[in-house]
Amino acid sequence: MARLSGRDPSLLRRINSTAVLRVLRSEFGRAPLTLTDLAQATELSRPTVEGVVEGLVEAGLAEESPGGTEHAARRGRPARRFRFRAEAGHALGVEIGSHRTAAVLADLTGGFTGTVTHDVDEEAGAEERLAQAHGTVAELLDASGVGCRSLRAVGVGTPGIVDADGTVRLSTALPGWTGLQLGERLREAFNCPVLVENDANAGVVAERWQGAAAGAEDVVMVLVGLSPGAGSLIGGRLHRGFGGAAGEIGALHLLGREATPERLLSTTGEPLHPLDETAVARVFALARAGDERAERAMERFVQRLVHDVAALVLALDPELVVIGGWASGLDDVLEPLRGELQRYCLRPPRVALSELGEAAVATGALRLALDEVESELFSVNAG
Amino acid sequence: MARLSGRDPSLLRRINSTAVLRVLRSEFGRAPLTLTDLAQATELSRPTVEGVVEGLVEAGLAEESPGGTEHAARRGRPARRFRFRAEAGHALGVEIGSHRTAAVLADLTGGFTGTVTHDVDEEAGAEERLAQAHGTVAELLDASGVGCRSLRAVGVGTPGIVDADGTVRLSTALPGWTGLQLGERLREAFNCPVLVENDANAGVVAERWQGAAAGAEDVVMVLVGLSPGAGSLIGGRLHRGFGGAAGEIGALHLLGREATPERLLSTTGEPLHPLDETAVARVFALARAGDERAERAMERFVQRLVHDVAALVLALDPELVVIGGWASGLDDVLEPLRGELQRYCLRPPRVALSELGEAAVATGALRLALDEVESELFSVNAG
């Protein structure tokens, strides 16, 4: 039957504290708030708010705003004003990709404070890649004047199937990556939660946060890189699949033709190497200029992409497909892709280009880290 | 803040009534229960239980068991005993397919009370098909001695994209079906909720209820019929997609070869017609006997199936794939399909044959109707 548990005073305190923190953070960047403002916004009593705010100041999450009192001091005792301390902690997003390591840092409101990117040899082994990731993060923290202790959560996006604990179960793109206990290794270095996610999954989260998928709930993002992969949101939530392998469409081409993007986009008969933004842009520019071999290469590439995307669309029926993986050069594939999907799909989705380009994976990893921080700060069950 | 709404007496009564009904139903088929039994099981007071049970008897959902008093009458006044009235209402599941109309009836505990199936010409128009569906249902109700008024919900499974209100947005398999307001048309005939669902979606629900997918949460069911389709459960819930088109994989073959099952399974060069269980079983039997043309036909068919299933598996990463669409004859494709999926999928799923065969769609439609009845009976928000 419906029974109510007795009131738990620490739970109640936590609920109240969360409510005040939410208001403080939502007003971040605007005028600092008085205790009266906070009591009104939270519908809590003034003494309760006062006690809660003291706790938040002690925890470093709020501070009295020195400027606030001056404006308010028209008559009588000036009202104290408080603001959220966005700088009280940071979240970090890291991409460990086949050609690139990137890191991006944000404060507790999600405001970017810096980013660092380095190329990496696609043949690099696991230890070399890990060392480079650590170096990239250290460089970013240093440049941002943020200490490692300020990190409250780290998100990592990387190719392959990743278990819930951050172990890379299978990654065909990165040498020595399969079996690596990536989450555990990174947790040794960072004294905070570390979340490891498939790169395309991180990408789709990023595009929804501040890219082409803003406002959409059912999205497939296809990374058309060296080893094509896809990440999906269903009802706004990541769909990882039963074993974390959802969207690992790299093998789809084996069903049809033995065709990797490096071969499809080649104009010489030799695989295109390295397969990066510059190389792809060059092929697309040649095609636009009327070079026949480049035109055929592009046609092959679009057909390959149509196969990949159609399979995902027919299986999932998303509202929107986002095409990414490179920062530019993909514009030319959108129209042919849309046309082909119209032919094959009973209900063709919208198709859009990634707005975040090469920043998508690290940005998505950052968003996952911020989600972790927020659930820590705002969960009434925690703490 | 955490605020509790004032106690709503009718809500409380509803919660109590639901609790008693749940216990009565869960004990259905075992010994009838006394008021004391019910008070103990629900942790409600005896007077409360007595009032609730009176209400359930009035509503026809419970009845005093005449046999119960005899056994209990050892000393003093005999204890009254009550049972759930499973026969107080019925749920109906209907398949309206391209070759077949089927209906299956169950009581409020989900116990089958009968089924009727009729073949239908695949060229039949919408009105003819609707009339046949009504006739099939009438025949079933008549044979079961159940009045139309006893129906509390009707589920319908049919090929195509179906909107939430039961309108067929697009169906390539049934002539005149696209645009049909199937839900509305059926609601005119049945004085109860009518739920219309894509046939493969109904199929996967059925296999999870009492077939090959029992206990599984992430399942893809592929109907390998005339127009192949798939239904998916993600976390135990139907995945319909943004526009209800998820799993409508019929166009996948257009991407590769112009190949329908009738052509793939043909041993004569002419399409196999009709494409039904008997025809397929014949081809498979010939192949087992060493007939070369039948062997090649089967190879083509398996390759087609591998393409379909691999696309779904790579996109969704299910725990289990169930192959259905016919009652038998598919056994021979399981091993080659498993072998091919091992090659193409990073995390190959289990593959099982449908246990419900041709009954899957109607059975799933019945389960959806029963879900509707249960949410009506057991929702504390309703009534």
Side-chain angles (χ1 to χ4, degrees):
Chain A
M1 306 324 82
R3 286 204 178 166
L4 296 166
S5 59
R7 283 200 172 187
D8 173 352
S10 73
L11 176 61
L12 200 60
R13 207 178 304 132
R14 175 98 195 154
I15 292 171
N16 294 339
S17 178
T18 298
V20 170
L21 193 59
R22 273 191 197 282
V23 173
L24 277 176
R25 199 186 63 151
S26 71
E27 293 297 310
F28 180 79
R30 289 185 278 253
L33 300 176
T34 64
L35 294 176
T36 309
D37 294 339
L38 287 166
Q40 273 171 2
T42 58
E43 302 187 18
L44 293 169
S45 74
R46 223 191 104 104
T48 299
V49 167
E50 194 158 9
V52 161
V53 167
E54 264 170 37
L56 291 174
V57 170
E58 268 171 42
L61 288 168
E63 68 178 3
E64 196 171 337
S65 174
T69 49
E70 294 166 28
H71 301 288
R74 292 207 189 145
R75 60 182 182 212
R77 194 157 60 97
R80 295 160 72 203
R81 286 178 179 269
F82 296 87
R83 62 181 277 278
F84 178 63
R85 287 191 68 239
E87 68 281 18
H90 289 82
L92 182 69
V94 181
E95 173 184 10
I96 307 182
S98 55
H99 295 108
R100 183 176 54 222
T101 306
V104 53
L105 188 70
D107 65 24
L108 291 186
T109 61
F112 284 172
T113 65
T115 181
V116 168
T117 302
H118 286 297
D119 287 341
V120 58
D121 187 338
E122 63 180 306
E123 303 294 334
E127 292 307 321
E128 187 183 341
R129 224 175 268 276
L130 269 174
Q132 206 209 25
H134 283 300
T136 305
V137 170
E139 191 182 333
L140 173 60
L141 292 176
D142 202 43
S144 311
V146 169
C148 192
R149 285 188 171 184
S150 183
L151 293 179
R152 291 190 168 230
V154 176
V156 179
T158 199
I161 302 179
V162 182
D163 285 338
D165 71 349
T167 301
V168 180
R169 187 126 55 86
L170 185 62
S171 182
T172 52
L174 275 57
W177 217 234
T178 297
L180 184 70
Q181 294 182 301
L182 184 56
E184 198 175 305
R185 289 290 297 273
L186 293 172
R187 266 172 227 119
E188 288 166 10
F190 300 107
N191 191 24
C192 65
V194 174
L195 302 104
V196 186
E197 187 56 80
N198 169 271
D199 56 353
N201 289 357
V204 72
V205 166
E207 293 290 340
R208 181 162 183 251
W209 182 29
Q210 43 190 13
E217 300 270 295
D218 296 280
V219 187
V220 168
M221 179 167 187
V222 181
L223 293 183
V224 294
L226 187 61
S227 70
S232 304
L233 298 175
I234 296 177
R237 296 176 57 190
L238 267 180
H239 173 65
R240 295 185 174 91
F242 179 69
E248 290 294 305
I249 54 171
L252 268 183
H253 66 271
L254 297 176
L255 292 164
R257 298 164 287 181
E258 299 286 333
T260 60
E262 305 99 296
R263 289 197 175 277
L264 294 172
L265 283 168
S266 164
T267 54
T268 61
E270 287 301 301
L272 194 67
H273 188 83
L275 179 81
D276 60 15
E277 189 184 333
T278 322
V280 174
R282 199 180 305 127
V283 176
F284 286 6
L286 278 172
R288 272 195 302 269
D291 181 288
E292 274 189 31
R293 284 189 306 180
E295 280 175 359
R296 282 201 303 275
M298 205 178 135
E299 269 168 33
R300 288 194 299 268
F301 179 74
V302 169
Q303 273 310 312
R304 178 79 277 278
L305 193 57
V306 167
H307 274 69
D308 287 355
V309 174
L312 290 161
V313 166
L314 293 172
L316 287 163
D317 185 25
E319 173 183 3
L320 170 70
V321 172
V322 180
I323 305 295
W326 297 301
S328 64
L330 286 170
D331 316 48
D332 295 322
V333 310
L334 278 205
E335 275 318 306
L337 180 60
R338 284 192 187 112
E340 294 286 280
L341 288 180
Q342 288 284 348
R343 284 179 58 202
Y344 294 126
C345 302
L346 290 185
R347 203 203 60 75
R350 285 196 291 130
V351 180
L353 211 60
S354 159
E355 289 180 10
L356 297 167
E358 295 192 325
V361 176
T363 305
L366 171 64
R367 182 62 256 174
L368 293 168
L370 282 165
D371 288 348
E372 174 70 21
V373 173
E374 291 184 1
S375 85
E376 177 62 30
L377 285 179
F378 294 120
S379 160
V380 293
N381 297 318
Chain B
M1 311 315 81
R3 287 202 176 169
L4 295 166
S5 60
R7 284 201 170 188
D8 172 352
S10 73
L11 175 62
L12 199 62
R13 206 178 306 133
R14 175 97 195 157
I15 292 172
N16 294 339
S17 178
T18 298
V20 170
L21 193 58
R22 272 191 197 282
V23 173
L24 277 177
R25 202 186 62 152
S26 71
E27 293 298 309
F28 180 79
R30 289 186 277 254
L33 300 176
T34 64
L35 295 176
T36 309
D37 294 337
L38 287 166
Q40 274 172 1
T42 58
E43 301 187 22
L44 293 169
S45 74
R46 219 190 108 105
T48 299
V49 167
E50 193 156 12
V52 161
V53 167
E54 263 170 38
L56 291 174
V57 170
E58 267 171 42
L61 288 166
E63 67 178 5
E64 195 170 336
S65 174
T69 49
E70 294 167 26
H71 301 288
R74 290 208 188 146
R75 60 180 179 212
R77 195 158 60 98
R80 295 160 72 202
R81 288 179 177 267
F82 296 87
R83 62 182 277 277
F84 178 64
R85 286 192 69 239
E87 69 280 19
H90 289 82
L92 181 69
V94 181
E95 174 184 11
I96 307 182
S98 56
H99 294 108
R100 181 175 56 220
T101 305
V104 53
L105 187 71
D107 65 25
L108 290 186
T109 60
F112 284 170
T113 63
T115 181
V116 168
T117 303
H118 286 296
D119 287 341
V120 57
D121 187 338
E122 63 179 305
E123 303 293 334
E127 293 306 322
E128 186 183 342
R129 222 175 269 276
L130 269 174
Q132 205 209 26
H134 283 299
T136 304
V137 170
E139 190 182 334
L140 173 59
L141 292 176
D142 202 45
S144 311
V146 169
C148 192
R149 286 188 170 182
S150 183
L151 293 179
R152 290 187 169 234
V154 176
V156 180
T158 199
I161 303 179
V162 182
D163 284 339
D165 71 349
T167 300
V168 180
R169 187 127 55 85
L170 186 60
S171 183
T172 52
L174 274 58
W177 217 235
T178 296
L180 183 71
Q181 295 183 299
L182 183 56
E184 199 174 305
R185 291 289 299 273
L186 294 172
R187 267 173 225 119
E188 288 167 10
F190 299 108
N191 191 25
C192 66
V194 174
L195 302 104
V196 186
E197 186 58 78
N198 169 270
D199 56 353
N201 288 359
V204 73
V205 166
E207 293 291 340
R208 182 161 182 249
W209 181 28
Q210 43 189 16
E217 299 270 297
D218 297 281
V219 187
V220 168
M221 179 167 188
V222 181
L223 293 182
V224 294
L226 186 61
S227 69
S232 304
L233 297 175
I234 295 177
R237 295 176 55 190
L238 267 180
H239 173 66
R240 296 186 175 91
F242 178 69
E248 290 294 306
I249 54 171
L252 269 182
H253 66 270
L254 298 175
L255 291 164
R257 296 165 285 181
E258 300 285 334
T260 59
E262 305 99 296
R263 289 196 176 279
L264 294 171
L265 283 169
S266 164
T267 54
T268 61
E270 287 300 302
L272 194 67
H273 189 83
L275 180 80
D276 59 16
E277 190 184 332
T278 321
V280 174
R282 198 180 306 128
V283 176
F284 286 7
L286 279 171
R288 271 196 301 270
D291 181 289
E292 274 189 31
R293 286 188 305 180
E295 279 174 359
R296 283 200 303 276
M298 204 176 136
E299 269 168 33
R300 288 194 299 268
F301 179 74
V302 169
Q303 272 311 311
R304 178 79 276 273
L305 192 59
V306 168
H307 274 69
D308 287 355
V309 174
L312 290 160
V313 166
L314 294 172
L316 287 163
D317 185 25
E319 174 183 3
L320 170 70
V321 173
V322 179
I323 305 294
W326 298 301
S328 64
L330 285 170
D331 316 47
D332 294 322
V333 309
L334 278 204
E335 274 320 306
L337 179 61
R338 283 192 189 113
E340 294 286 281
L341 288 180
Q342 288 284 349
R343 284 179 58 200
Y344 294 125
C345 301
L346 291 185
R347 203 204 60 76
R350 285 195 291 130
V351 180
L353 210 60
S354 158
E355 289 180 10
L356 296 167
E358 297 194 322
V361 177
T363 304
L366 171 64
R367 181 64 256 173
L368 294 168
L370 282 165
D371 288 348
E372 173 70 21
V373 173
E374 290 183 1
S375 84
E376 177 64 29
L377 286 179
F378 295 120
S379 161
V380 292
N381 297 316

